[in-house]
Each structure stands twice: as C-alpha cells, then as structure tokens.
Amino acid sequence: MSSSAKGKAPANGPATTPYELPWVEKYRPQTLDDVVGNCDTIERLKVIAKDGNCPHVIISGLPGIGKTTSIHCLAHQLLGDAYKEGVLELNASDERGIDVVRNKIKAFAQKKVTLPPGRHKIVILDEADSMTAGAQQALRRTMEIFSNTTRFCLACNMSSKIIEPIQSRCAILRYAKLRDTEILKRLLEICEMEKVEYNDDGLTALIFTCEGDMRQAINNLQSTHSGFGFVSGENVFKVCDQPHPVIVQSIIRACIEGDINGAMGKLNELWEQGYSAVDIVVTIFRVVKTFDELPEYTKLEYIKEIGFTHMRILEGVGTVIQLGGLLARLCKLNMKPELFHI
Ligand SMILES: Nc1ncnc2c1ncn2[C@@H]1O[C@H](COP(=O)(O)OP(=O)(O)OP(=O)(O)O)[C@@H](O)[C@H]1O
Ligand SMILES: [Mg+2]
C-alpha cells in the first residue's frame, strides 16, 4: 500500500461506492448520553463519569445491549485525552492467563501516568466470564493493592462465572434486555441517517426477530437494506431466516378453532421450507406470548404445552410428529369438554 493511502478508508472500488462500515460500529455510541435503555444504571454511570471516583464495576447482561459500549464511553469520559495511556483493555481474544495478570496487568497498575486530577487508571476486562478461575484468583489481591491508582471495569454475559471474591470487590450493574420502544427509537434514527426506505411492518419484524438485542436489530436492518433495498416485513424474515410469524399466527388461530387439519397444513408448509423443530417451536412461543386473541387462561395453558414440547425437542425428539402432537393438544385445550364424552 502506498503511504498516501494509509489511514484512509480502504480504496476497494470507485469513489462512488465508498467502503461501508458495519452500522453497529458506525453508530456505536460515543458518550453515555447516546446509550439507550437501562436508564437507572446508565444514570449511575453518568454520575461516576462526572464525579470521577469510579469503583470497580462489573456490568453483566445478554449480548448486544451496550455493555462494552458503556464501559468505553465511561473510560473516555473519565480520562479524556489521557485515554490512551490510562486504559488497558483486554478482551477474550487476548491471552488472559495467570501470567498476564501477574505481569501485564500488574505492570500497568504500577506504571506512572499523568491523569486529570482525581482520576484513576482503568483496566477494562471485556468478556471477563471467559477468564479462567485461576486468572481471576490472581486478580484478587492486585485489585486491592493498586486500588488507589487503578480501577477495574469488567463486562460479562454471566456474572455467576465471575468468582465470588471478585464480585464482592465490585459494584455489579445488571443490564436488562432493551425494550421494543428503545430499539425502535434507535432504528428510526439510523434509518433517517442512512436514508433507509422502510415500512412499519419491516420495523416490527426487526424488533420481533432481535429479541431485545440491539446489535442484532442493527445488523438485520443493514443486511435487509443492502440485500433488498427496502425494509419490509417479508424481506426482514428472508434475511433472518426465521419462520414467518404470520404463518405461525394462522396455525395458532386454527388451533383455537379446533381445526387440526388447517393447523397441520400450515405446519407442513413451514417444515417443507426447511425450518427445524426448534425454530418452529420457539416462534410458536413468541407468537403466543403476544397473541391478543387468546384469553389469559388459555394462553397460560398453551405456553405450558409449548414449554413441554420445547423440552422434548431439546432432548432430541425434533420430529414433525412431535410438533403435530403439540398442535393436537392445543386444539384439544380449546374444545368443549362435552365433545370428549364417549
Ligand atoms: N444500549 C445501546 N444503545 C445504543 N446502541 C447500542 C446499545 N446496545 C448495543 N448497541 C449497538 O450494538 C453494538 C454492540 O454493542 P456492545 O458491543 O456494547 O454489546 P455488548 O453488550 O458488549 O455485547 P456482548 O455481550 O456480545 O459483548 C454497538 O456497536 C451499538 O451499535
Ligand atoms: Mg461486549
């Protein structure tokens, strides 16, 4: 590469088709104000960012809801220009055995760095649940000895994989799944900035398929936009490759009416499209959960039956007969008991 090309966007084509960043990275929030959802927890982080006395923190929660992003924003807001010298970031792709804790982290903690007054160096341990228990043990004393100069921020999916002694040294912040309205707001902003053409059905489908995971929602938005040029419900389901909830709704409706033949017909349609039993049963669950036409009691019974079937499928019996059995039971649940007198 010639030296003049360094640092620019890769020149992979004519100037009219610039290299496109994944939108998840392009629209990664830069300050805590831009991180959506989990308002109370983010408010706490904002106070820490303002006052400067950052405790050791663990942020835990499901993938794609802003854990890594918030820690980076926090570190940037705390340290400003000193970010480069003041932060050591290690994630699961780095070697993080006992040796690294003993050498690299300790050496960083001992290093003298000029920071804004009242601020501390920060060690970011992303995906900390993948650190071995031994390495976590080695952290215990280090965290204490150097706590006057260095603070630790950990992010993980499961806080139970962090050993108890480390949990007890940290403030644990739990992030919940993002709400539909929060995801919708962000998607609309991105649609606006990227001039994406969409309809309401498309956005509903994105929110339905992402299940509270912002990263997935944004990725699916970008894939649908670049693949089809228009974000409609149908296109989103083509990209996500999940059974279409409208078909699943019609299955449930047939079950409510006791029409097993109708329900089985639709089920076979999905089966022939190649969806696995797990895909289908999970979609049935998600559709039933939000299905307004079902009375509360029936909904609960339906969910119970779906749960049992899900369990059997996970045990290995993922056949169409298993799903057929589920539909038969759902049909029966809504039939009048008198019909069963022999
Ligand atoms: N709360 C949020 N507000 C705005 N954007 C978000 C939010 N959560 C996630 N995103 C988007 O998703 C991308 C991934 O988020 P992030 O890396 O913070 O996820 P994570 O919680 O660390 O997930 P993982 O557990 O997989 O590491 C970000 O680049 C951003 O575009
Ligand atoms: Mg992360």
Side-chain angles (χ1 to χ4, degrees):
M1 191 193 276
S2 75
S3 62
S4 63
K6 266 185 202 156
K8 289 186 187 161
N12 60 343
T16 47
T17 54
Y19 171 74
E20 199 175 18
L21 264 179
W23 290 352
V24 277
E25 291 310 327
K26 194 165 167 190
Y27 296 104
R28 190 184 277 276
Q30 300 298 321
T31 65
L32 285 169
D33 287 322
D34 299 337
V35 180
V36 302
N38 292 297
C39 301
D40 295 342
T41 327
I42 305 268
E43 278 308 317
R44 255 179 94 187
L45 290 179
K46 279 189 206 159
V47 173
I48 294 174
K50 200 158 127 281
D51 297 348
N53 193 12
C54 177
H56 298 310
V57 287
I58 298 180
I59 301 187
S60 81
L62 292 166
I65 54 178
K67 300 181 299 297
T68 307
T69 311
S70 333
I71 291 191
H72 279 148
C73 294
L74 177 68
H76 272 289
Q77 278 173 251
L78 277 171
L79 300 183
D81 292 338
Y83 182 90
K84 226 169 151 213
E85 300 100 70
V87 173
L88 173 70
E89 187 194 345
L90 295 171
N91 57 39
S93 65
D94 300 300
E95 171 66 55
R96 286 193 301 194
I98 298 185
D99 288 346
V100 172
V101 175
R102 283 200 193 119
N103 303 325
K104 205 164 167 184
I105 297 185
K106 231 169 162 177
F108 173 78
Q110 286 166 338
K111 195 171 78 173
K112 185 146 176 37
V113 177
T114 318
L115 297 176
R119 303 292 148 102
H120 304 90
K121 281 176 285 177
I122 297 176
V123 177
I124 299 178
L125 294 171
D126 207 354
E127 290 119 32
D129 39 6
S130 68
M131 284 176 81
T132 59
Q136 294 187 31
Q137 295 287 2
L139 263 186
R140 289 167 65 168
R141 196 69 186 123
T142 316
M143 281 173 94
E144 282 175 355
I145 296 174
F146 299 102
S147 63
N148 55 345
T149 58
T150 308
R151 300 293 156 88
F152 286 75
C153 295
L154 285 71
C156 61
N157 294 126
M158 273 178 287
S159 63
S160 58
K161 292 231 177 117
I162 308 284
I163 57 169
E164 288 284 342
I166 299 229
Q167 290 191 33
S168 97
R169 285 167 173 76
C170 298
I172 303 185
L173 307 177
R174 291 183 205 284
Y175 276 22
K177 271 188 189 177
L178 299 179
R179 292 206 201 98
D180 291 354
T181 46
E182 290 159 352
I183 295 188
L184 178 65
K185 194 166 149 262
R186 186 76 182 155
L187 288 180
L188 284 172
E189 281 169 15
I190 295 180
C191 285
E192 167 104 353
M193 286 185 276
E194 291 290 334
K195 313 225 171 347
V196 176
E197 290 181 36
Y198 61 90
N199 61 15
D200 289 351
D201 208 23
L203 293 183
T204 315
L206 283 172
I207 290 170
F208 180 88
T209 47
C210 79
E211 291 182 83
D213 175 344
M214 180 77 89
R215 184 192 288 126
Q216 179 137 49
I218 299 177
N219 274 333
N220 289 344
L221 174 70
Q222 185 173 17
S223 314
T224 316
H225 173 67
S226 50
F228 297 95
F230 184 73
V231 180
S232 65
E234 202 170 318
N235 291 345
V236 170
F237 281 102
K238 275 186 202 151
V239 165
C240 301
D241 204 20
Q242 286 185 14
H244 202 301
V246 169
I247 303 184
V248 176
Q249 271 174 10
S250 61
I251 295 181
I252 301 297
R253 227 170 260 131
C255 288
I256 296 173
E257 288 157 11
D259 171 16
I260 183 74
N261 289 334
M264 283 303 291
K266 296 275 181 197
L267 174 67
N268 281 331
E269 201 179 297
L270 285 182
W271 192 257
E272 273 156 26
Q273 284 171 18
Y275 293 112
S276 73
V278 180
D279 288 341
I280 297 176
V281 84
V282 167
T283 314
I284 295 182
F285 168 68
R286 281 161 52 195
V287 166
V288 166
K289 199 172 66 174
T290 52
F291 204 50
D292 298 332
E293 296 166 36
L294 274 171
E296 184 83 7
Y297 173 79
T298 325
K299 195 186 264 187
L300 295 177
E301 290 293 315
Y302 270 33
I303 289 177
K304 192 169 89 185
E305 285 300 338
I306 296 166
F308 282 132
T309 308
H310 191 195
M311 208 169 66
R312 287 184 203 120
I313 290 173
L314 291 183
E315 278 168 8
V317 199
T319 56
V320 73
I321 303 178
Q322 186 68 249
L323 291 170
L326 170 67
L327 298 189
R329 285 193 301 279
L330 296 188
C331 285
K332 200 170 149 188
L333 268 174
N334 227 18
M335 280 178 181
K336 294 193 182 68
E338 305 89 81
L339 295 177
F340 295 106
H341 285 312
I342 304 163

